[in-house]
Amino acid sequence: MQEKYDIIGVNYNTTRKADPYLFNRLRSLLNPTPKEMYLDIGCGTGNYTSEFAKKGYQFIGIDPSDKMLEKAKNQHDAITWKIGKAEKIELASDSVNGIIASLTLHHWQDLNQGFKELNRILKPNGTTVIFTSTPTQMRGYWLNHYFPKMMTDSLIQMPAYNDIKSSLERNNLRIKDTEKYFIQPDLQDLFLYSGKHNPSLYLQPKVRQGISSFSSLANTEEVEQGLKALHKDIASGKIKTIIKKYENTEGDYLFITVKKA
């Protein structure tokens, strides 16, 4: 697990920049104030954490990867950066007013323990904003056409919405609201489905390196064959037919706003 994070972190900042729209949604849903303390769990290289700090908010960033945090420390010196995992957070109980957990749930080894820890460190009535994808949403990605095994493996590690909801409720956390997110053509944070409208992104090795499904779950042979087919379909225009086949209304990702009961 540690090696996976470090592999992803090699050129992470090249392709995984804080997207302005996603940042603004995270900030709006979290509704932070400058005098309170917040946590970014699974902060990676701290791109979103740093954006919050630039706006005057106090943040702690926690991630299990040394390589990720090395890059994070170079971004903003007003942030407290800590090595750690969601399942064991080295912070005092009732010590943060809010938490963001962006594209991190699928990396947790124990969802229930992770939410137990979030509940412990979160102050009463505190807010957590989760940004994730569900297996239902991921089945609607056209990437399934070219990389079926990789996507199956990604689906297996992605918590289902009902599992997230049940685990939250077991740990004194309740879902206040959900909001579907559909990939925008100008997305700057190049995570798994970032190439929804721009398939040629996946032909770039650095883009794939920053996506855990490609860098740590995928079979090399399948990726090579899938990229070859994708390249051919882009050139012929067939990709438009494939993309249209996968159109749906489920949303590509999901914001989940959570309150401590």
Side-chain angles (χ1 to χ4, degrees), residues 59-167:
F59 258 80
I60 299 166
I62 292 181
D63 198 85
S65 169
D66 284 316
K67 281 188 169 60
M68 292 280 198
L69 289 183
E70 282 174 15
K71 291 180 170 62
K73 289 172 184 176
N74 292 327
Q75 293 209 54
H76 209 291
D77 56 11
I79 299 169
T80 301
W81 304 105
K82 289 178 173 285
I83 276 281
K85 297 183 179 181
E87 294 86 351
K88 187 176 182 181
I89 301 174
E90 300 295 336
L91 293 176
S93 299
D94 300 329
S95 60
V96 298
N97 297 86
I99 301 167
I100 60 170
S102 179
L103 298 178
T104 182
L105 296 190
H106 57 291
H107 292 306
W108 296 7
Q109 294 175 305
D110 187 330
L111 194 68
N112 189 66
Q113 178 61 28
F115 286 143
K116 181 178 180 180
E117 276 290 86
L118 295 195
N119 176 63
R120 181 184 66 79
I121 66 169
L122 194 60
K123 290 183 178 181
N125 204 40
T127 300
T128 297
V129 180
I130 298 168
F131 181 61
T132 189
S133 183
T134 68
T136 299
Q137 291 176 316
M138 292 177 70
R139 291 186 188 98
Y141 294 4
W142 58 255
L143 288 169
N144 288 281
H145 180 82
Y146 296 97
F147 312 102
K149 186 179 186 307
M150 179 190 81
M151 290 303 297
T152 296
D153 291 342
S154 297
L155 281 162
I156 290 171
Q157 70 168 5
M158 188 64 69
Y161 176 78
N162 286 338
D163 292 336
I164 294 171
K165 183 175 184 290
S166 296
S167 186

Side-chain angles (χ1 to χ4, degrees), residues 9-74:
V10 174
N11 293 305
Y12 198 80
N13 278 351
T14 305
T15 59
R16 299 298 301 273
K17 302 180 185 301
D19 180 76
Y21 176 83
L22 293 180
F23 169 73
N24 286 329
R25 292 311 301 144
L26 288 170
R27 180 172 62 172
S28 178
L29 295 170
L30 184 65
N31 193 26
T33 62
K35 293 183 179 180
E36 297 178 331
M37 182 61 70
Y38 299 88
L39 169 67
D40 184 353
I41 188 70
C43 65
T45 58
N47 293 325
Y48 289 95
T49 335
S50 297
E51 287 300 308
F52 275 101
K54 289 175 187 176
K55 301 294 183 182
Y57 302 111
Q58 299 182 66
F59 258 80
I60 299 166
I62 292 181
D63 198 85
S65 169
D66 284 316
K67 281 188 169 60
M68 292 280 198
L69 289 183
E70 282 174 15
K71 291 180 170 62
K73 289 172 184 176
N74 292 327

